[in-house]
Short mmCIF file of all heavy atoms in Angstrom, two decimals:
data_model
loop_
_atom_site.label_atom_id
_atom_site.label_comp_id
_atom_site.label_asym_id
_atom_site.label_seq_id
_atom_site.Cartn_x
_atom_site.Cartn_y
_atom_site.Cartn_z
N TYR A 213 2.27 5.51 5.49
CA TYR A 213 1.76 4.22 6.00
C TYR A 213 2.78 3.12 5.84
O TYR A 213 3.07 2.36 6.80
CB TYR A 213 0.50 3.88 5.23
CG TYR A 213 -0.21 2.60 5.61
CD1 TYR A 213 -0.16 2.09 6.89
CD2 TYR A 213 -0.93 1.88 4.68
CE1 TYR A 213 -0.84 0.93 7.22
CE2 TYR A 213 -1.63 0.73 4.99
CZ TYR A 213 -1.58 0.24 6.28
OH TYR A 213 -2.22 -0.93 6.62
N TYR A 214 3.37 3.04 4.67
CA TYR A 214 4.36 1.95 4.45
C TYR A 214 5.62 2.15 5.28
O TYR A 214 6.23 1.16 5.74
CB TYR A 214 4.69 1.86 2.96
CG TYR A 214 3.58 1.27 2.08
CD1 TYR A 214 3.70 1.22 0.71
CD2 TYR A 214 2.42 0.74 2.68
CE1 TYR A 214 2.66 0.67 -0.08
CE2 TYR A 214 1.44 0.21 1.93
CZ TYR A 214 1.57 0.15 0.52
OH TYR A 214 0.57 -0.38 -0.22
N ASN A 215 6.07 3.40 5.45
CA ASN A 215 7.22 3.64 6.33
C ASN A 215 6.92 3.36 7.79
O ASN A 215 7.74 2.78 8.49
CB ASN A 215 7.67 5.10 6.17
CG ASN A 215 8.42 5.35 4.88
OD1 ASN A 215 9.14 4.47 4.36
ND2 ASN A 215 8.25 6.53 4.30
N GLN A 216 5.71 3.70 8.21
CA GLN A 216 5.33 3.35 9.58
C GLN A 216 5.32 1.84 9.79
O GLN A 216 5.77 1.37 10.84
CB GLN A 216 3.93 3.92 9.90
CG GLN A 216 3.91 5.44 10.09
CD GLN A 216 4.53 5.83 11.43
OE1 GLN A 216 5.76 5.76 11.60
NE2 GLN A 216 3.70 6.29 12.34
N ALA A 217 4.80 1.12 8.82
CA ALA A 217 4.78 -0.36 8.90
C ALA A 217 6.15 -0.94 9.05
O ALA A 217 6.36 -1.91 9.79
CB ALA A 217 4.05 -0.93 7.70
N ARG A 218 7.13 -0.35 8.33
CA ARG A 218 8.50 -0.82 8.48
C ARG A 218 8.99 -0.63 9.94
O ARG A 218 9.64 -1.52 10.49
CB ARG A 218 9.44 -0.01 7.55
CG ARG A 218 9.29 -0.35 6.07
CD ARG A 218 9.92 -1.69 5.75
NE ARG A 218 9.93 -1.96 4.34
CZ ARG A 218 10.93 -1.67 3.49
NH1 ARG A 218 12.02 -1.08 4.00
NH2 ARG A 218 10.88 -1.94 2.23
N ARG A 219 8.61 0.49 10.53
CA ARG A 219 8.99 0.74 11.94
C ARG A 219 8.34 -0.25 12.87
O ARG A 219 8.88 -0.64 13.89
CB ARG A 219 8.64 2.17 12.31
CG ARG A 219 9.39 3.23 11.54
CD ARG A 219 9.07 4.65 12.07
NE ARG A 219 9.69 5.64 11.20
CZ ARG A 219 9.03 6.31 10.24
NH1 ARG A 219 7.75 6.06 10.01
NH2 ARG A 219 9.64 7.23 9.52
N TRP A 220 7.06 -0.59 12.54
CA TRP A 220 6.32 -1.54 13.40
C TRP A 220 6.79 -3.00 13.18
O TRP A 220 6.42 -3.86 13.99
CB TRP A 220 4.83 -1.47 13.11
CG TRP A 220 4.23 -0.11 13.21
CD1 TRP A 220 4.57 0.90 14.06
CD2 TRP A 220 3.10 0.34 12.46
NE1 TRP A 220 3.73 1.97 13.85
CE2 TRP A 220 2.81 1.68 12.89
CE3 TRP A 220 2.29 -0.20 11.44
CZ2 TRP A 220 1.80 2.42 12.34
CZ3 TRP A 220 1.26 0.54 10.93
CH2 TRP A 220 1.01 1.87 11.37
N GLY A 221 7.46 -3.24 12.08
CA GLY A 221 7.82 -4.61 11.75
C GLY A 221 6.64 -5.40 11.23
O GLY A 221 6.54 -6.60 11.45
N LYS A 222 5.75 -4.72 10.48
CA LYS A 222 4.52 -5.38 10.00
C LYS A 222 4.49 -5.32 8.47
O LYS A 222 5.03 -4.42 7.85
CB LYS A 222 3.27 -4.67 10.52
CG LYS A 222 3.11 -4.71 12.02
CD LYS A 222 1.86 -3.99 12.46
CE LYS A 222 0.60 -4.66 11.95
NZ LYS A 222 -0.60 -4.13 12.61
N GLN A 223 3.85 -6.33 7.90
CA GLN A 223 3.54 -6.35 6.45
C GLN A 223 2.12 -5.78 6.27
O GLN A 223 1.16 -6.31 6.82
CB GLN A 223 3.58 -7.78 5.92
CG GLN A 223 4.94 -8.41 5.85
CD GLN A 223 4.87 -9.80 5.22
OE1 GLN A 223 3.93 -10.58 5.48
NE2 GLN A 223 5.83 -10.12 4.41
N VAL A 224 2.02 -4.67 5.55
CA VAL A 224 0.74 -4.02 5.35
C VAL A 224 0.50 -3.77 3.87
O VAL A 224 1.43 -3.92 3.07
CB VAL A 224 0.64 -2.67 6.13
CG1 VAL A 224 0.93 -2.91 7.62
CG2 VAL A 224 1.58 -1.65 5.57
N ALA A 225 -0.71 -3.37 3.54
CA ALA A 225 -1.02 -3.03 2.17
C ALA A 225 -2.17 -2.08 2.09
O ALA A 225 -3.04 -2.03 2.99
CB ALA A 225 -1.34 -4.31 1.35
N VAL A 226 -2.26 -1.32 1.00
CA VAL A 226 -3.39 -0.49 0.64
C VAL A 226 -4.08 -1.18 -0.54
O VAL A 226 -3.42 -1.64 -1.47
CB VAL A 226 -2.92 0.94 0.21
CG1 VAL A 226 -4.07 1.69 -0.46
CG2 VAL A 226 -2.40 1.67 1.41
N THR A 227 -5.40 -1.23 -0.50
CA THR A 227 -6.16 -1.73 -1.67
C THR A 227 -6.85 -0.51 -2.30
O THR A 227 -7.27 0.41 -1.66
CB THR A 227 -7.24 -2.77 -1.28
OG1 THR A 227 -8.33 -2.12 -0.65
CG2 THR A 227 -6.67 -3.82 -0.39
N PHE A 228 -6.88 -0.57 -3.66
CA PHE A 228 -7.51 0.53 -4.43
C PHE A 228 -8.17 -0.11 -5.67
O PHE A 228 -7.92 -1.26 -6.01
CB PHE A 228 -6.52 1.57 -4.80
CG PHE A 228 -5.24 1.01 -5.39
CD1 PHE A 228 -5.12 0.80 -6.78
CD2 PHE A 228 -4.13 0.75 -4.58
CE1 PHE A 228 -3.97 0.31 -7.32
CE2 PHE A 228 -2.94 0.25 -5.15
CZ PHE A 228 -2.87 0.04 -6.51
N LYS A 229 -9.03 0.70 -6.33
CA LYS A 229 -9.87 0.11 -7.34
C LYS A 229 -9.58 0.57 -8.77
O LYS A 229 -10.27 0.17 -9.70
CB LYS A 229 -11.36 0.48 -7.02
CG LYS A 229 -11.77 -0.16 -5.69
CD LYS A 229 -13.23 0.00 -5.40
CE LYS A 229 -13.57 -0.77 -4.11
NZ LYS A 229 -15.00 -0.63 -3.78
N ALA A 230 -8.56 1.42 -8.91
CA ALA A 230 -8.19 1.84 -10.28
C ALA A 230 -6.71 2.23 -10.29
O ALA A 230 -6.20 2.74 -9.29
CB ALA A 230 -9.03 3.05 -10.73
N TYR A 231 -6.06 1.97 -11.40
CA TYR A 231 -4.63 2.29 -11.48
C TYR A 231 -4.41 3.79 -11.69
O TYR A 231 -3.27 4.25 -11.67
CB TYR A 231 -4.00 1.53 -12.63
CG TYR A 231 -4.04 0.02 -12.41
CD1 TYR A 231 -4.27 -0.85 -13.44
CD2 TYR A 231 -3.88 -0.50 -11.14
CE1 TYR A 231 -4.29 -2.24 -13.23
CE2 TYR A 231 -3.92 -1.90 -10.88
CZ TYR A 231 -4.14 -2.74 -11.94
OH TYR A 231 -4.17 -4.08 -11.74
N THR A 232 -5.48 4.56 -11.81
CA THR A 232 -5.40 5.99 -11.75
C THR A 232 -5.28 6.52 -10.31
O THR A 232 -4.93 7.66 -10.12
CB THR A 232 -6.57 6.67 -12.46
OG1 THR A 232 -7.80 6.18 -11.90
CG2 THR A 232 -6.56 6.40 -13.97
N ASP A 233 -5.62 5.64 -9.36
CA ASP A 233 -5.54 5.99 -7.95
C ASP A 233 -4.11 5.90 -7.44
O ASP A 233 -3.62 6.81 -6.78
CB ASP A 233 -6.44 5.07 -7.10
CG ASP A 233 -7.89 5.18 -7.48
OD1 ASP A 233 -8.29 6.16 -8.13
OD2 ASP A 233 -8.66 4.22 -7.14
N TYR A 234 -3.49 4.76 -7.70
CA TYR A 234 -2.11 4.49 -7.31
C TYR A 234 -1.45 3.65 -8.38
O TYR A 234 -2.16 2.96 -9.19
CB TYR A 234 -2.08 3.74 -6.00
CG TYR A 234 -2.29 4.58 -4.77
CD1 TYR A 234 -3.39 4.41 -3.97
CD2 TYR A 234 -1.33 5.51 -4.37
CE1 TYR A 234 -3.60 5.17 -2.81
CE2 TYR A 234 -1.52 6.30 -3.23
CZ TYR A 234 -2.63 6.09 -2.46
OH TYR A 234 -2.82 6.85 -1.33
N PRO A 235 -0.13 3.65 -8.49
CA PRO A 235 0.55 2.77 -9.46
C PRO A 235 0.17 1.30 -9.21
O PRO A 235 -0.02 0.89 -8.03
CB PRO A 235 2.05 3.02 -9.18
CG PRO A 235 2.08 4.37 -8.55
CD PRO A 235 0.82 4.50 -7.74
N GLN A 236 0.11 0.50 -10.23
CA GLN A 236 -0.36 -0.84 -10.14
C GLN A 236 0.38 -1.71 -9.11
O GLN A 236 -0.22 -2.45 -8.36
CB GLN A 236 -0.27 -1.55 -11.53
CG GLN A 236 -0.70 -3.00 -11.49
CD GLN A 236 -0.65 -3.65 -12.88
OE1 GLN A 236 -0.43 -2.94 -13.86
NE2 GLN A 236 -0.83 -4.95 -12.96
N THR A 237 1.66 -1.56 -9.05
CA THR A 237 2.45 -2.44 -8.17
C THR A 237 2.73 -1.82 -6.79
O THR A 237 3.60 -2.29 -6.05
CB THR A 237 3.81 -2.78 -8.83
OG1 THR A 237 4.51 -1.57 -9.13
CG2 THR A 237 3.60 -3.54 -10.10
N SER A 238 1.96 -0.75 -6.44
CA SER A 238 2.15 -0.12 -5.14
C SER A 238 1.20 -0.62 -4.06
O SER A 238 1.30 -0.25 -2.90
CB SER A 238 2.05 1.39 -5.24
OG SER A 238 0.75 1.75 -5.60
N GLY A 239 0.25 -1.48 -4.47
CA GLY A 239 -0.73 -1.98 -3.52
C GLY A 239 -1.49 -3.14 -4.12
O GLY A 239 -1.01 -3.81 -5.03
N ILE A 240 -2.69 -3.34 -3.65
CA ILE A 240 -3.53 -4.50 -4.06
C ILE A 240 -4.75 -4.00 -4.80
O ILE A 240 -5.50 -3.17 -4.28
CB ILE A 240 -3.91 -5.33 -2.85
CG1 ILE A 240 -2.68 -5.95 -2.17
CG2 ILE A 240 -4.90 -6.42 -3.25
CD1 ILE A 240 -2.95 -6.60 -0.84
N PHE A 241 -4.95 -4.53 -5.97
CA PHE A 241 -6.08 -4.17 -6.82
C PHE A 241 -7.36 -4.85 -6.27
O PHE A 241 -7.37 -6.05 -5.93
CB PHE A 241 -5.84 -4.63 -8.25
CG PHE A 241 -6.94 -4.31 -9.23
CD1 PHE A 241 -7.34 -3.00 -9.42
CD2 PHE A 241 -7.56 -5.30 -9.94
CE1 PHE A 241 -8.35 -2.68 -10.33
CE2 PHE A 241 -8.58 -5.01 -10.85
CZ PHE A 241 -8.98 -3.68 -11.03
#
């Protein structure tokens, strides 16, 4: 997703609800 966004020239993000899902600084809590 993030690599595709770079190709599109867009700022994107994933939101998640626990730091066991993804690293804290890799998306939006």
